[in-house]
Amino acid sequence: MKKWKVASALFTVVALGIGLTACGNQHDSSKSTASSSTSSQPSYQLASSSAKLDPASLTPKQNAAVVMFYAGVKNHQRYVQQMNKSGQQLTIDLYSPGDAKKAGVSGKLPAGAEVVYEAKLANAGSTYYTLVGDQTYISDGHGGFRKKGATTAEMVKVANQNNAGDALCQLAENASLNDLRTDGTNVNNQQGNTASNNNAATASSMGPQDKARAAMNADPNIDPEFKRRINLPPDDPDYIQPTHDPDSWR
């Protein structure tokens, strides 16, 4: 009888040990699965560190690169991981609303849209967007536009959070801009090779003050202090209207 009790006790201990081991393995397996699931999530980090972009001083081409990055993140596009590749080429095409299909648009444009922009990476992907006032409306990934627009500051925030500044500036530096509009607002029908031409094309749907500010920000010969002041809030005592003559503001 004692031998039976001892054997029974030993069996119970072994059984518990097996049970504990099985639970431990299951826990480890669960942790491994969770880790694998987490690592499978797309990463939009383009570098371990990067210079921060300033939304108030973007050139038109830099703005296009920022919009493309932001749209890629929001729509989970694989091309984002190609934006920091050496030698990558960014092309920005401008279309009239009537030619929006050429940019890949099949849905309705947001009310007030005057230009459709298509941003393309060589052999990597593309997206389209449009501007209405200070709001940028990006592709919804299905031929239309997202209902909610984004400000430049909001898009730059996403880029900076992912250390994309250096990569996007490099893309913009080598980018080409083609004004393909057919409604009479075409600026030069050629690649934008100067800051003023790029700005005139990109800012076509902005108000007079915004157009002037964009032109001043894009001009490398403008006094940096003047640029700083035209980008201040209007209620700031140092604020200067961007339409002011940059040569006689002091």
Side-chain angles (χ1 to χ4, degrees), residues 4 25 40 44 59 66 90 147 153 182 191 216-217:
W4 182 87
N25 287 341
S40 67
Y44 301 115
T59 68
V66 167
L90 172 64
K147 293 183 178 180
T182 58
Q191 292 184 358
M216 297 300 178
N217 285 330

Side-chain angles (χ1 to χ4, degrees), residues 64 68 90-95 99-105 115-121 125-130 176-178 180:
M68 186 174 195
L90 172 64
T91 302
I92 309 125
D93 293 336
L94 282 65
Y95 293 99
D99 293 327
K101 288 184 178 180
K102 295 180 180 179
V105 180
V115 182
V116 176
Y117 304 85
E118 182 184 21
K120 301 180 289 187
L121 290 179
S126 66
T127 191
Y128 57 79
Y129 61 96
T130 190
S176 61
L177 187 148
N178 306 301
L180 306 176

Side-chain angles (χ1 to χ4, degrees), residues 73-156:
V73 171
K74 291 299 180 181
N75 291 324
H76 308 292
Q77 297 298 307
R78 292 182 179 179
Y79 71 67
V80 172
Q81 283 83 8
Q82 303 298 315
M83 298 185 78
N84 62 345
K85 301 301 181 185
S86 177
Q88 184 60 267
Q89 179 66 41
L90 172 64
T91 302
I92 309 125
D93 293 336
L94 282 65
Y95 293 99
S96 304
D99 293 327
K101 288 184 178 180
K102 295 180 180 179
V105 180
S106 57
K108 290 184 178 180
L109 272 66
E114 297 180 359
V115 182
V116 176
Y117 304 85
E118 182 184 21
K120 301 180 289 187
L121 290 179
N123 304 315
S126 66
T127 191
Y128 57 79
Y129 61 96
T130 190
L131 304 175
V132 180
D134 66 347
Q135 297 290 308
T136 298
Y137 292 86
I138 64 171
S139 162
D140 63 3
H142 303 287
F145 291 86
R146 289 193 172 224
K147 293 183 178 180
K148 189 175 186 297
T151 64
T152 301
E154 290 171 332
M155 294 186 290
V156 165

Side-chain angles (χ1 to χ4, degrees), residues 18-248:
I18 293 173
L20 287 170
T21 302
C23 287
N25 287 341
Q26 185 177 8
H27 180 67
D28 290 341
S29 175
S30 174
K31 284 173 65 178
S32 176
T33 302
S35 176
S36 175
S37 174
T38 301
S39 63
S40 67
Q41 294 296 318
S43 172
Y44 301 115
Q45 291 282 331
L46 295 191
S48 58
S49 63
S50 175
K52 298 302 181 184
L53 297 171
D54 179 2
S57 59
L58 294 179
T59 68
K61 289 181 179 180
Q62 288 172 348
N63 184 74
V66 167
V67 176
M68 186 174 195
F69 179 85
Y70 177 82
V73 171
K74 291 299 180 181
N75 291 324
H76 308 292
Q77 297 298 307
R78 292 182 179 179
Y79 71 67
V80 172
Q81 283 83 8
Q82 303 298 315
M83 298 185 78
N84 62 345
K85 301 301 181 185
S86 177
Q88 184 60 267
Q89 179 66 41
L90 172 64
T91 302
I92 309 125
D93 293 336
L94 282 65
Y95 293 99
S96 304
D99 293 327
K101 288 184 178 180
K102 295 180 180 179
V105 180
S106 57
K108 290 184 178 180
L109 272 66
E114 297 180 359
V115 182
V116 176
Y117 304 85
E118 182 184 21
K120 301 180 289 187
L121 290 179
N123 304 315
S126 66
T127 191
Y128 57 79
Y129 61 96
T130 190
L131 304 175
V132 180
D134 66 347
Q135 297 290 308
T136 298
Y137 292 86
I138 64 171
S139 162
D140 63 3
H142 303 287
F145 291 86
R146 289 193 172 224
K147 293 183 178 180
K148 189 175 186 297
T151 64
T152 301
E154 290 171 332
M155 294 186 290
V156 165
K157 181 179 179 180
V158 172
N160 285 337
Q161 287 173 339
N162 288 282
N163 294 323
D166 289 337
L168 298 185
C169 285
Q170 184 63 41
L171 268 179
E173 184 177 345
N174 300 316
S176 61
L177 187 148
N178 306 301
D179 192 345
L180 306 176
R181 288 176 290 175
T182 58
D183 59 1
T185 57
N186 187 296
V187 174
N188 53 17
N189 288 313
Q190 297 178 355
Q191 292 184 358
N193 295 318
T194 66
S196 59
N197 284 342
N198 289 342
N199 180 72
T202 306
S204 60
S205 60
M206 299 178 182
Q209 293 287 335
D210 290 332
K211 285 184 178 180
R213 182 178 294 105
M216 297 300 178
N217 285 330
D219 190 338
N221 298 315
I222 298 297
D223 186 337
E225 177 61 18
F226 180 79
K227 286 185 179 181
R228 185 188 73 82
R229 293 196 178 196
I230 65 174
N231 287 295
L232 292 172
D235 58 352
D236 190 293
D238 288 335
Y239 172 73
I240 297 177
Q241 289 192 0
T243 52
H244 197 289
D245 183 355
D247 295 324
S248 61

